[in-house]
Amino acid sequence: MTGVPALVIAGPGTNRDRDLALALAMAGADPSIVLADQLVADPTLLRDARIVAVAGGFSYGDALGAGNMLALDLRVGVGEALAEYVATGRPMIGICNGFQVLTEAGLLPGALQKNRGLKFLCTTVALRVESTASVLTSEATVGDVLRVPINHFEGNYTCAPDTLSALQANDQIVLRYVDNPNGSIDDIAGICSEGRNVVGLMPHPERAISDLLGSADGVPLLRSLLASASAAAAA
Amino acid sequence: MDPAPADRTEPARRHRLTVRSLDPDPRAAGIAAAAAHLGLTLPRPDAVAIADIVFVEGELTATDLGSLHGLLADPLLQTATWDVPARPGVEVTFLPGVTDTAAASVIHGAAQLGVRITGAATGRRVELGAGVDDVLVDEIVRRVVANPVIERWSTGTVEPVFHPDSVRVGKAEVVALSGRTLDQLMVIGHERKLALDPEELLVVQAHFADAGREPTDVELETLAQTWSEHCAHKTFRARISADDGVERPSLLAMLRACTEELASPFVKSAFVGNAGIVHFRDDADGRPVTIALKAETHNHPSAVEPFGGANTGVGGVIRDVLGIAHAPIAVTDILCFGPPDTPVDDVPTGALHPLRIREGVIDGVADYGNKIGLPTVAGAILYDPAYTTNPLVFAGCIGQATGWQQHAGPYPGDRVVVLGGRTGRDGIRGATFSSLTMDATTGEVAGASVQIGDPVVEKLLIDVLVGAEHLFTAITDCGAGGLSSAIGEMAEGVGADVELDRVPLKYAGLEPWEIWLSEAQERMVIAVPPALIDELQARCDLYGVELADVGRFTGDGRLVVRSSGEPVVDLDTHFLHDGRPQRRLDATMPTPRRGDDAATGRTVGDAGATLLALLAHRNIASKAGTIHRYDHEILGATLVRPIVGRERDAPGDGVVLAAPTDTEGIAVGIGVNPWYGLHDPDAMAQVAVDEAIRNVVAVGADPDRVALLDNFSWGDPKRPSTLGELVAAVEGCVAAANAFRAPFVSGKDSLNNEYTGSDGQRHAVPPTLVITAVAHVPDADRCVQPVLHAAGNVLVLVGRTAPEFAGSHLDMVAGEPAEPGVAPQPDPDAPERYRRLHRAILDGLVRSCHDVSEGGLAVALAELCIAGRLGAEVTALPHADLATSLFAESAGRLVVEVAPGDVDTFGAAMGGDSFVLGTVTDTPALALPGVAPIDVGSLVAAFNREGLDG
């Protein structure tokens, strides 16, 4: 395979890594799943990656806060290498538990708290594309409404008021819920970093890749990721 | 984590961090609401507060404490303090020895931060506000907040036990049996809760007399577990004398013989090992893709600790599938509860309220399935007062493998390897516990029978074992009976020599019999050739799974277990597995009312109001609130979901699993109706099989490639009438399997589902048989769903309608008449009907399709309208009598939506077995003959009224 090399990061209890690898492969990437411990043992894996994705699931069973422990492993083990990777402008995404990891690791602002209603929620929601200036939405169109599954307990995004203002001012809110399912502040479903190459989102685009399975609306997002990876490599 | 010796001599400092949510913590409102629901009125419900507590032990600097504070509290979400709270409160923590997974993460996290702690524990603090007296506080904590089976609490602050410890004798006790009278043996059996029959005690006594020695306590416990109803299925293997004079083989033999006679070519393994295995298709490279299926019950544990019981029920059945070398791909659950609005005073002392049981069980199922990363797909929730003290939790698992071959070991010389979680004092004697009926003290004495699950550990076990099939020669899971049962079964005929000192323990101080019997979760036992241990060890290291080499398979046919080198068990495995005398039981066969003369009709005053009442009945009403709590989509292969329709709030029939790259799929359907069983257990069983198959056919599965699971939850089989009902139900299963040519490949029975209340009355569950059908879907593109498609299409009923009302939901909402008449009967034409319907689906003639079951035709039509948010105008009814047409629950029927131009083609395809009911309309109302049209909005409102939160 000669696809774009993609690293799918998993920790103990991550369970979307295979779904995500399959979806990335179908979108044209050449994904490999790497456990956080393996990455810590060999941080040079990041050097060859053109996409880094933190997959969803229940790393460490959500003990001590969703994403907290895996974020700690990454921060302590490969914090510098990850910072270097991000500085190159190459895309990094975190989906669901991966988003929680990215906020806990300080790669994205804010935090994810328990859903309003205090229930795990598995359903399909409508997302509106709010910005195309991110590695995950570059091929989409502002205003597009995408049907994408959510499956989470702690997806209620929150942040300090000045952070929210900054996110709004800098066009960092890339996806919003059309009908907010979990109480997220400002209907936020996904945000990007100031550098626009780190994106975190609660919904699962990797689970929306087939009309037969309910929706193929995740495909443009994954295509954006691939296109951004190529653009970053060319830059 | 073992403290260094220095910590023992000079106790380390203890610290506690109290963490509070910045926003109001929704758990607090939950406690207030649950207390109110139970009539425990708080002066200020809005004053309830809750906090989490993390306890750590170690000589910690201010910097250390700061680091831990940063780890344990997110400043955006929480505040935290190392000070002891001043406000009055109650603090709850786990009993010593109960698994505390969060504490393990604290230890890991501290290590990552370079903070050296010697122990950790977690708990929570509840503050009920000022002016609440101690009695009310205790009542609320006991009933709503904590579970005394696994937790303890104290007013003010609680002190955790970081290092549960006791002095271990490490020696087996000898139990003198020789010369004892039967009465004396019975006393020994009762005191040790062996749950052995008198005949069995005598056989054990004679066996050791022949051997010229007395048994050890470990040997007696091993025999009790292996011979328990739970493990040995004594009733299903019993010789039964029935009052109808018919000579029958044992119940298990009947089911097995049926499967053997059907000789279905797709059955690869039935009634042996942990799960049934079927083969429906090959992959692109021509390798067989096999499906493993299994369903289990976890009723008794869920009654005393609902969350843990359901949690570990799911974990256990996943291990069953893993234990036959298949990768788990989906989970099912069927739950039976007492009504959530049961008055508190009607719940016997010692039993939990059904509301509490329901919340705990559903949380337990969701927690395990979601965290382990398996979709919880098919299921049902049933309510009946008879389940109040004895809830039923059926958990199933489906697995898949490519190129599977039965492991043929263990071979002499192979190592006995235990993988996964550590062994503690949790879940001791679960197999015998579940084989006894419960009483008011069960919750207290059974404390040690309850296990707590850790789905992440089991997820890692799956990661290690799937793809490592070449590294072992035999595999089984550690379930009921723990190592005694797992290693005991594997050693059958081969023999094994095991050293208990090598079993990794959660904490010191376990006696040999406790180690040997513990049902600590998330453990698998495999037989590994010595040359492959290193490769397996490397794989375990990668995923962080503990591997313990505890002994070897010997070849001498003896099961030898040692503690510090000294044998504490030395049993002939033939005696262990085949020495049990066959149980003899008497059955009084039921005499169901059957035939046209016995049938009785019903009169319905207001059919529209009756339909709305049925839609709002708990058994029929939307389960969306529960299903959305289960991740039913993970693994990305759920093609037809358990909840369907435009608003994702309507019930599905079967579910279909097919990966994005697959053109074929697997359908899963459930059949269960205990209320028919109260009237006619044989017909109930046949109709349950029909319903399960109907559900998979309705979504596109091939009725000629269906495999079945049976799960019986029954009362005490020593009561002849209860056993008679069981015999009739098994006969019904066999008859239906033959009629549909659908083999049973695995099953499980849970008997003794009775509870002696503090009133001294026996409460038994209704005869509850759950049938799971797993079937091949030949064309994933042709799947259909019970969702009305387009106005103008024609609605057609297939199947016959008769006045069959006994056990119906109409009788539940309108009251059962003195002459209930006939329960729904099996339809001999159903198998052919389903074959024809399947061909019509493959030919693209079916736009939507819905099975007719609880509540009858009217409910099926209403559900189709709800799903499609479209109307239907019914112009013709299938029976001369309105009530029979709308509300009878005759089996074998489906409503099918076809395009107007396809009506004749479809009718011909069904061989004339089709009845045009009417059309789909844009007008959002259900119009039934002689009934005022009902808005779809009203149907939706009724259907959603009694949800989980209702």
Side-chain angles (χ1 to χ4, degrees), chain B residues 224-542:
Chain B
Q225 296 294 319
T226 309
W227 291 7
S228 67
E229 179 70 85
H230 188 95
C231 292
H233 304 282
K234 297 192 246 208
T235 300
F236 267 65
R237 294 175 196 269
R239 183 186 177 88
I240 295 172
S241 307
D243 66 340
D244 61 1
V246 177
E247 280 290 322
R248 294 175 178 84
S250 75
L251 300 177
L252 188 58
M254 285 164 67
L255 288 163
R256 280 187 170 166
C258 171
T259 296
E260 279 165 23
E261 283 160 21
L262 284 170
S264 307
F266 57 80
V267 174
K268 294 297 160 205
S269 173
F271 295 108
V272 288
N274 283 326
I277 298 178
V278 292
H279 167 225
F280 291 138
R281 67 181 177 101
D282 295 336
D283 73 358
D285 300 325
R287 292 178 304 170
V289 177
T290 48
I291 304 295
L293 48 153
K294 173 72 178 210
E296 276 276 10
T297 49
H298 228 215
N299 303 337
H300 283 44
S302 302
V304 294
E305 211 302 273
F307 180 89
N311 201 252
T312 55
V314 175
V317 78
I318 292 171
R319 286 197 306 279
D320 277 331
V321 163
L322 199 54
I324 200 140
H326 278 60
I329 59 167
V331 173
T332 65
D333 67 291
I334 293 87
L335 314 174
C336 304
F337 304 120
D341 55 359
T342 303
V344 176
D345 293 345
D346 290 1
V347 179
T349 311
L352 295 174
H353 190 275
L355 185 74
R356 177 95 186 270
I357 293 177
R358 181 179 74 171
E359 286 304 308
V361 165
I362 290 171
D363 269 352
V365 171
D367 180 79
Y368 214 97
N370 294 351
K371 286 187 176 171
I372 201 166
L374 291 173
T376 301
V377 289
I381 303 177
L382 284 63
Y383 294 98
D384 191 281
Y387 297 124
T388 298
T389 50
N390 208 134
L392 303 182
V393 174
F394 301 83
C397 183
I398 294 159
Q400 186 167 296
T402 304
W404 173 79
Q405 286 183 314
Q406 176 77 55
H407 284 95
Y411 300 106
D414 285 350
R415 304 304 303 177
V416 182
V417 170
V418 180
L419 292 181
R422 292 195 155 208
T423 298
R425 201 171 276 122
D426 35 356
I428 290 188
R429 290 181 172 141
T432 47
F433 161 54
S434 63
S435 304
L436 296 162
T437 53
M438 295 190 287
D439 60 32
T441 63
T442 299
E444 284 153 47
V445 301
S449 292
V450 176
Q451 314 95 346
I452 303 298
D454 185 347
V456 171
V457 172
E458 192 150 307
K459 163 78 166 69
L460 297 173
L461 266 179
I462 296 174
D463 290 340
V464 164
L465 285 167
V466 173
E469 293 80 8
H470 59 293
L471 296 178
F472 50 85
T473 64
I475 179 166
T476 196
D477 77 304
C478 240
L483 294 173
S484 79
S485 156
I487 298 176
E489 276 173 30
M490 285 175 101
E492 184 173 1
V494 182
D497 194 328
V498 171
E499 173 53 71
L500 293 177
D501 289 4
R502 294 196 201 153
V503 176
L505 302 180
K506 291 180 179 171
Y507 37 84
L510 271 69
E511 296 299 328
W513 73 269
E514 292 178 310
I515 300 171
W516 187 233
L517 263 67
S518 163
E519 293 177 12
Q521 294 292 293
E522 289 92 25
R523 299 177 302 165
M524 299 291 292
V525 180
I526 55 178
V528 184
L532 299 177
I533 287 277
D534 288 348
E535 188 181 344
L536 181 69
Q537 181 71 60
R539 211 178 152 84
C540 288
D541 290 345
L542 176 63

Side-chain angles (χ1 to χ4, degrees), chain A residues 16 68 73 122 124 207 213, chain B residues 71 112 628 631 633 648:
Chain A
R16 299 279 181 175
N68 192 12
D73 288 350
C122 172
T124 298
R207 289 293 337 284
L213 286 163
Chain B
L71 170 69
Q112 284 284 41
H628 286 304
D631 192 332
E633 303 190 328
R648 296 281 297 269

Side-chain angles (χ1 to χ4, degrees), chain A residues 63-83:
Chain A
L64 313 186
N68 192 12
M69 298 297 293
L70 183 55
L72 179 66
D73 288 350
L74 292 176
R75 217 168 61 214
V76 172
V78 284
E80 280 180 31
L82 269 179

